[in-house]
Amino acid sequence: MVKVRNPKEIEEMVQNGAFAKKRIFSIVAHIDHGKTTTSDFLLKRAGLMRPEDAGAMQAMDSDEEEQARGITIFTSVVLLAFNDDRAKDDEEPYIFQINDTPGHLSFTGEVSRALRSSDGAILLVDALEGVMTQTETNIRLSVGNEKCKPVLFINKVDRLISELRLEPAEVYQRVDAIVNGVNDLIRELQPEGQDWVVDFAKSQVALGSAKHGWGFTMEILKDHNIKPTYVFEKYNEGDIEWLRKHLTLDDALLRMVIDHLPDPVTASRYRLPEIISGIDWDSDLGKSLKESDPKGELLGMIAKVFIDPKSFRPTLIGRIFSGTLHQGDKIYLVNRRENRKVKRLGVMEITDILDMEEVPAGNLFALFGFICPSGESFVSSEYAQTFEDHGDIPRFESIKY
Ligand code: GDP
């Protein structure tokens, strides 16, 4: 169940929460496959939107809603706290930072930069359309280039039943074809030594309807002792309420995220050697990066830049991979070769920055104080001075797309 937390609790979770309880991920999809509807649903479950508004209103990118809430397509980072129903009552919640990526193909560079600051991705595919060009591009960017581990959500399954009038066996044939198409690409692109193919039997694939707010994985069907055919019966009876109540979409999606997407430390160990250059991985900085050590030397990247619609100030969203960033810190922008001051720091929570004195490695952050292009790497100004030739300062590889 998604829970609303107060700012103090969020701050505590960001600063001191165990890595095993954190996930930073993006949702990627071909246009119109339902990413906005899915994101809305998660926002609604987090108590951030009125239930009647979710679905009808598309919070992540519709113009009206953007104006009302001050969201732009480049801004959205959603912070969710989630109590895993499978855990005992006293278990600490999970904290998710959902790193939105622009939906349109012309923003490929922006998608890559957002993915670079994530560790995993929900690949979302429309059950009717299947794998499309942009699905393929997104898998290439997320799995191939940015080493974000995937899970798969096959959306709009309601339309297979209501419009195409498919029998359950035919629905599963179609699902298999999509899973196979996605897995062919994953196999080609996954990092060496990793097995990232997705399997419905292992609950790495969810099926559902974002529009109606239901979805399931194999594990969820088993937990509720529901046969797949029963889902179709319920849908054919028009009992959407039952589906939404017993097979709530966020459970399916967030359980996949918990079980199959990596936490920030696990991901950093295999991802960072592929995307940062100029590092001796046995050095203190190398070790700190692989452990997301908050006490290590500072190294981070700027993932997105946008103008805050309320204050009209430029806001930067980024990720810290080693060390801790503090309010008031002086940082060195590695490509621009300039020092800058962090005037205001925090984490982005949909439309607002939740101010924090410091944000440690393994988190996304939001800051005010200066502007620079997205994709920029930074270290502390003090550390930069220890390099005779600033061309040798470690930095992220340039984005390929
Ligand atoms: P995006 O471009 O990926 O963000 O797609 P949207 O979320 O804007 O959805 C595109 C269209 O598909 C909208 O008209 C949605 O209402 C519709 N849609 C999204 N999810 C579903 C679903 O699960 N079932 C059905 N029938 N329609 C959906």
Side-chain angles (χ1 to χ4, degrees):
M1 169 62 100
V2 176
K3 291 263 166 72
V4 191
R5 303 272 149 183
N6 68 38
K8 268 279 154 234
E9 270 180 301
I10 297 272
E11 183 171 0
E12 174 61 24
M13 285 159 75
V14 166
Q15 291 180 343
N16 301 315
F19 283 122
K21 293 279 181 169
K22 289 184 182 177
R23 299 289 184 278
I24 304 176
F25 66 94
S26 300
I27 304 177
V28 293
H30 185 85
I31 193 114
D32 277 346
H33 280 197
K35 190 177 78 170
T36 309
T37 313
T38 304
S39 309
D40 281 358
F41 185 80
L42 293 174
L43 290 193
K44 184 205 77 179
R45 294 288 288 172
L48 300 165
M49 255 169 110
R50 287 178 300 146
E52 59 271 30
D53 292 340
M57 218 161 52
Q58 314 212 319
M60 297 296 241
D61 71 9
S62 98
D63 283 353
E64 272 174 32
E65 177 56 12
E66 234 167 72
Q67 283 161 13
R69 298 174 137 255
I71 298 172
T72 83
I73 50 173
F74 296 108
T75 66
S76 317
V77 173
V78 177
L79 209 127
L80 292 181
F82 178 75
N83 279 82
D84 190 345
D85 290 341
R86 296 166 295 181
K88 292 182 217 82
D89 289 348
D90 58 351
E91 281 255 345
E92 283 286 298
Y94 281 83
I95 181 163
F96 302 108
Q97 288 179 305
I98 309 177
N99 200 356
D100 190 32
T101 56
H104 198 270
L105 199 55
S106 58
F107 297 129
T108 303
E110 295 296 330
V111 175
S112 293
R113 285 183 265 274
L115 286 168
R116 183 157 287 191
S117 54
S118 292
D119 297 314
I122 298 182
L123 309 174
L124 187 154
V125 178
D126 179 323
L128 274 86
E129 291 203 332
V131 173
M132 301 289 281
T133 39
Q134 213 185 329
T135 318
E136 183 173 337
T137 305
N138 281 327
I139 297 176
R140 289 193 184 282
L141 297 176
S142 53
V143 175
N145 294 0
E146 302 306 330
K147 314 297 173 203
C148 289
K149 188 174 185 233
V151 289
L152 176 62
F153 172 41
I154 301 182
N155 187 33
K156 305 197 192 182
V157 169
D158 57 291
R159 293 185 60 196
L160 294 184
I161 312 170
S162 63
E163 287 173 36
L164 300 194
R165 304 252 156 231
L166 298 187
E167 294 296 323
E170 294 170 310
V171 169
Y172 282 99
Q173 269 171 12
R174 198 170 269 249
V175 163
D176 267 351
I178 294 174
V179 172
N180 291 338
V182 166
N183 278 339
D184 285 346
L185 287 162
I186 293 176
R187 248 182 237 108
E188 180 196 323
L189 297 160
Q190 68 195 358
E192 251 183 64
Q194 302 279 345
D195 179 13
W196 283 1
V197 296
V198 292
D199 186 348
F200 183 67
K202 292 184 184 159
S203 301
Q204 294 153 333
V205 178
L207 313 185
S209 165
K211 189 172 180 179
H212 299 144
W214 58 267
F216 59 88
T217 59
M218 190 69 174
E219 183 197 53
I220 288 178
L221 290 185
K222 277 192 189 151
D223 279 4
H224 292 73
N225 208 7
I226 295 172
K227 287 208 173 64
T229 45
Y230 193 64
V231 177
F232 295 84
E233 275 173 40
K234 281 287 171 196
Y235 187 77
N236 279 325
E237 286 168 17
D239 201 348
I240 307 287
E241 270 312 305
W242 186 92
L243 289 164
R244 216 182 344 237
K245 180 156 179 252
H246 292 91
L247 302 174
T248 316
L249 180 61
D250 59 299
D251 263 343
L253 296 182
L254 297 180
R255 277 193 193 194
M256 286 202 300
V257 168
I258 290 172
D259 292 344
H260 301 292
L261 297 188
D263 65 71
V265 176
T266 304
S268 291
R269 289 186 187 139
Y270 58 76
R271 284 186 78 224
L272 296 186
E274 308 259 0
I275 58 177
I276 305 183
S277 57
I279 301 268
D280 169 0
W281 292 98
D282 293 321
S283 69
D284 286 347
L285 175 61
K287 287 182 198 150
S288 170
L289 280 165
K290 284 192 169 182
E291 297 307 314
S292 295
D293 184 357
K295 296 196 185 73
E297 204 60 72
L298 180 69
L299 180 70
M301 71 161 294
I302 305 295
K304 310 180 201 189
V305 182
F306 67 97
I307 304 296
D308 182 274
K310 286 186 199 153
S311 65
F312 298 106
R313 275 194 281 187
T315 304
L316 308 182
I317 302 283
R319 164 101 182 241
I320 303 165
F321 287 93
S322 163
T324 297
L325 187 61
H326 306 84
Q327 201 154 334
D329 271 356
K330 270 177 76 187
I331 59 175
Y332 181 78
L333 305 177
V334 182
N335 294 318
R336 298 207 116 192
R337 301 191 176 210
E338 286 168 1
N339 287 297
R340 287 286 181 265
K341 189 169 175 189
V342 179
K343 293 197 182 128
R344 186 178 167 197
L345 178 69
V347 295
M348 196 74 199
E349 208 192 13
I350 309 194
T351 54
D352 287 317
I353 291 188
L354 205 63
D355 286 286
M356 290 185 194
E357 284 289 310
E358 55 180 49
V359 179
N363 289 290
L364 298 177
F365 64 83
L367 69 76
F368 284 162
F370 59 90
I371 189 148
C372 74
S374 61
E376 178 61 279
S377 314
F378 63 82
V379 296
S380 72
S381 297
E382 222 172 83
Y383 181 61
Q385 278 174 7
T386 64
F387 286 80
E388 245 168 62
D389 179 354
H390 282 201
D392 292 339
I393 300 177
R395 73 193 69 202
F396 286 84
E397 298 275 357
S398 56
I399 299 263
K400 293 173 277 193
Y401 52 90

